[in-house]
Amino acid sequence: YGGYFYERTSVVDQVPPPPINFTNGNCINRYDYLSCGAIDIFSEELALFLKDKIDVEFIPIVATLKGKTYSDRIFYLVHMMDRRHALDMERSIYTQWIAGKSGELVIKDVEQVVLDNIKADNSPAFFLNKPAKLIFREDIAKAILAQGFKGIRFVPIEMHNPGKWPDDITPYLLQP
């Protein structure tokens, strides 16, 4: 599945619903946002709320809980169609390395994220390619929180510090 999800093209008709095995029944029963490694998963309710507000497609998943089919709620894998290289390269703090045969400089780790507001272009939400994060405009984040969705929190982009986040939390970041 990996390669498909890093492109701006539609994947809904290209991939079968991926199987996702959850091990914590408390999370799957209570939360609207779940993270499985690098995969962001939204509940059906959160997906319906956002589908007309942001440029995204939702791929249904086959959820299992501890190896058994889970059908109490419906969940979707998030595939952001709006993908941007909006990192302010002059003000962000990051390390680079030289990629193999191409010799191209590639961003390896980002310690301090600063967005280039011109590249962000006031988008309601987008996928920041490096570091790999979903970015939400403040009004969209506030609308999500006002609806009472669970398991999601928003952190100002300038407070992003990958070394200080607990492993089980993927922060969603606001544009400044």
Side-chain angles (χ1 to χ4, degrees), residues 18-37 39-43 60-71 73-77:
I20 306 285
N21 185 44
F22 296 96
T23 56
N24 187 333
N26 288 332
C27 290
I28 197 171
N29 289 320
R30 293 188 348 214
Y31 296 148
D32 296 291
Y33 165 76
L34 301 163
S35 175
C36 288
I39 298 173
D40 296 299
I41 297 173
F42 287 178
S43 68
I61 67 167
V62 176
T64 58
L65 178 58
K66 297 179 182 177
K68 297 183 180 183
T69 301
Y70 179 86
S71 58
R73 297 177 72 199
I74 297 172
F75 289 92
Y76 294 89
L77 187 139

Side-chain angles (χ1 to χ4, degrees), residues 95-99 104-108:
T95 56
Q96 291 181 310
W97 60 280
I98 298 174
E104 177 185 0
L105 281 177
V106 177
I107 295 174
K108 182 178 179 187

